[in-house]
Every structure is written in C-alpha cells, then in structure tokens.
Amino acid sequence: MTTLITALSLLVVDLAVPGVNIATFPAALLAALSIGLVNGTIKPVLSTLSMPVNFLTLGAFSLVVNGICFWLASVIVPGFGVYGLWAFLLGPVVLSFTSTLLNGYFVEKGYGQALTGRSSDTAIEGEK
C-alpha cells in the first residue's frame, strides 16, 4: 500500500514541480520502489557522512541529502526524470507532504488496516 501511495504522490509531484517528469503510471510505481530502495540503503549512509555539515547548517543540509536520493532514484528508473535545482530541492518536499496527506486520508477512510496491520475500529488491549 505504501508503494501505491508513493506512486500516486509522485504523479502529484509531476504536476506540481517543474522539472520532475514521470512518463507513465508504471514508471511511477517503479520510481516509488526505487525511492524506497534508495532511502533504505543509501540515504542512511549519506546522512551519517553528512552529519557534521548538517549540524553546521542546523539541519538544512537534509534537503540536499533528500534531493540526492530523489535524483539518484530518477537515474535508476527509465521514465522518471529530475531536471534542475528546484526539482532537486522541492520534489522530495512535495513528495513527502503529499504522501503524508494521502496516507492520512486512506487511514481515515478505513484502508488503514492494510497500512498498519490492524483495524482502526478495534482497540488494543490496555488502551481502554
């Protein structure tokens, strides 16, 4: 479900951010998988290596690390392109914002069971 939400969010990024191009919905699905793979493997290494710079910039360098990961995912997937500085910096921000909104929407509508593994109507023991 997370991959589907990320793919839908990428289509919104394609519309909202000039310089981000997604050719087709299957390309968006592959891009979502690629972003997940890059964020799970390469981003922790980049974040650790850039920690001193991130500390000096009060966290602003995280935008650059996110941009690098976003761009790197676009290099891997045909039909997904990131062109220009604004796409490099704003693309991941819009993607994160849109994914958060869509994830909240699906959880609220009852599709959260697939996302969290439990129904939103049932309480966990000890929560009462």
Side-chain angles (χ1 to χ4, degrees):
M1 186 69 156
T2 303
T3 303
L4 182 61
I5 289 174
T6 304
L8 292 172
S9 300
L10 280 168
L11 294 175
V12 172
V13 172
D14 179 34
L15 294 172
V17 179
V20 175
N21 297 321
I22 299 184
T24 61
F25 186 70
L29 284 172
L30 285 175
L33 289 171
S34 175
I35 288 171
L37 182 68
V38 168
N39 283 344
T41 57
I42 297 171
K43 186 175 180 180
V45 174
L46 285 177
S47 295
T48 302
L49 292 174
S50 67
M51 201 175 297
V53 177
N54 208 2
F55 179 75
L56 290 174
T57 61
L58 302 175
F61 196 73
S62 293
L63 292 172
V64 175
V65 171
N66 286 336
I68 290 170
C69 292
F70 190 66
W71 170 79
L72 189 58
S74 76
V75 169
I76 297 170
V77 177
F80 172 40
V82 178
Y83 309 101
L85 183 63
W86 286 114
F88 179 84
L89 294 175
L90 288 179
V93 172
V94 174
L95 177 66
S96 177
F97 181 73
T98 308
S99 293
T100 301
L101 287 177
L102 286 176
N103 205 1
Y105 173 79
F106 285 122
V107 168
E108 183 179 306
K109 290 296 182 181
Y111 298 113
Q113 188 174 12
L115 297 175
T116 62
R118 64 184 169 111
S119 175
S120 58
D121 295 336
T122 59
I124 295 176
E125 288 295 322
E127 284 187 0
K128 291 186 177 183

